Amino acid sequence: MTDYLIDTHAHLDFPELYDRLDEVLDNAKKNNVKRIISISTNLNKIDKIIDLSNNNDEVFFTVGVHPNEVLKDSNNSNYNLIHNISKKNKCVGIGECGLDYHYGKESINKQKHSFITQINVARDIGLPLIIHSRDADEDMIKILTSEYKKGSFKAILHCFSSGKKLALCGVELGFYISFSGIVTFNSAKLIQEVAMLVPKDKILVETDAPYLSPTPLRGTINEPKNCQITAKFLSDIRKIDFNKFVGQLNMNSYKIFDKMF
């Protein structure tokens, strides 16, 4: 196999992975995962992620605030801070940001304000936006379509677990759609349907490690190495040769995260 996998979304700074980072990175390499993007959730913790990327050639990072963190991060809508950090060499994206109404209903207005701020940074700097959406499809579609009319931006619907309507909105706007281990679950028939309709040049894989280990590893700590399992599952349901699919994923990952070149 000449091409390798890129875990486009992991949380290497979380203790489940950080406390044994060398082992996690070694496991990834042994399973043909040779690039990992460590995703920001709270700007109070961004220095740890920057250090991770500086100390490990295969690690890149994003800058942003997760919707469930907006009440814990006073910089959740600090355009200048996010913009300035995004200029660092190994910063390849903005986010993860978005809307989460499952846990965060008391912070909906702050979530929206933070999300739109991060859209503005992504649009202005030209880096892709990593979007988290949970139980918020209608508002997400409204914000994405209205903001896109103000000026285009690149984006990824990460760890896709929403409805088909949001997926079609993303495809129409030219966004990428990324699948985690969730797509391998027996209960995830709708997500599997979405995974079969995403254009081949817009599909990505991720782990969202340390969460969401794919079948048959559910319930264990997830690692970037498990991209291999999710990619194999997707190649099977899409009826594509695995090696060819890995090559497509590699190309897609570098196209959207073009700062990794």
Side-chain angles (χ1 to χ4, degrees), residues 32-100:
N32 201 40
V33 180
K34 298 185 181 177
R35 295 283 185 277
I36 302 164
I37 301 174
S38 195
I39 303 295
S40 170
T41 57
N42 185 313
L43 295 176
N44 296 319
K45 305 172 184 176
I46 193 69
D47 288 343
K48 189 175 182 181
I49 299 174
I50 293 170
D51 288 344
L52 265 170
S53 69
N54 287 338
N55 294 331
N56 298 279
D57 289 345
E58 68 269 46
V59 178
F60 296 79
F61 76 98
T62 67
V63 56
V65 182
H66 190 287
N68 289 338
E69 295 289 310
V70 294
L71 297 181
K72 305 172 194 172
D73 190 342
S74 61
N75 286 303
N76 65 67
S77 299
N78 188 331
Y79 175 97
N80 289 333
L81 178 61
I82 298 168
H83 188 279
N84 289 339
I85 294 171
S86 75
K87 293 178 182 176
K88 291 185 178 292
N89 287 341
K90 296 191 81 177
C91 183
V92 297
I94 306 300
E96 112 187 53
C97 56
L99 304 174
D100 191 320

Side-chain angles (χ1 to χ4, degrees), residues 67 70-71 76-77 98-101 104-117 139 143:
V70 294
L71 297 181
N76 65 67
S77 299
L99 304 174
D100 191 320
Y101 295 173
K105 287 185 178 172
E106 74 284 357
S107 62
I108 284 176
N109 289 334
K110 284 192 173 179
Q111 286 186 41
K112 288 179 178 178
H113 187 235
S114 177
F115 183 34
I116 290 170
T117 299
D139 278 358
I143 289 174

Side-chain angles (χ1 to χ4, degrees), residues 160-162 179-196 215 218 233-234 237:
F160 194 84
S161 58
S162 299
F179 296 93
S180 70
I182 291 176
V183 76
T184 70
F185 299 174
N186 287 333
S187 58
K189 300 305 179 190
L190 177 59
I191 300 167
Q192 291 164 14
E193 281 181 41
V194 171
M196 287 186 275
T215 303
R218 285 189 73 174
F233 182 89
L234 288 167
I237 66 170

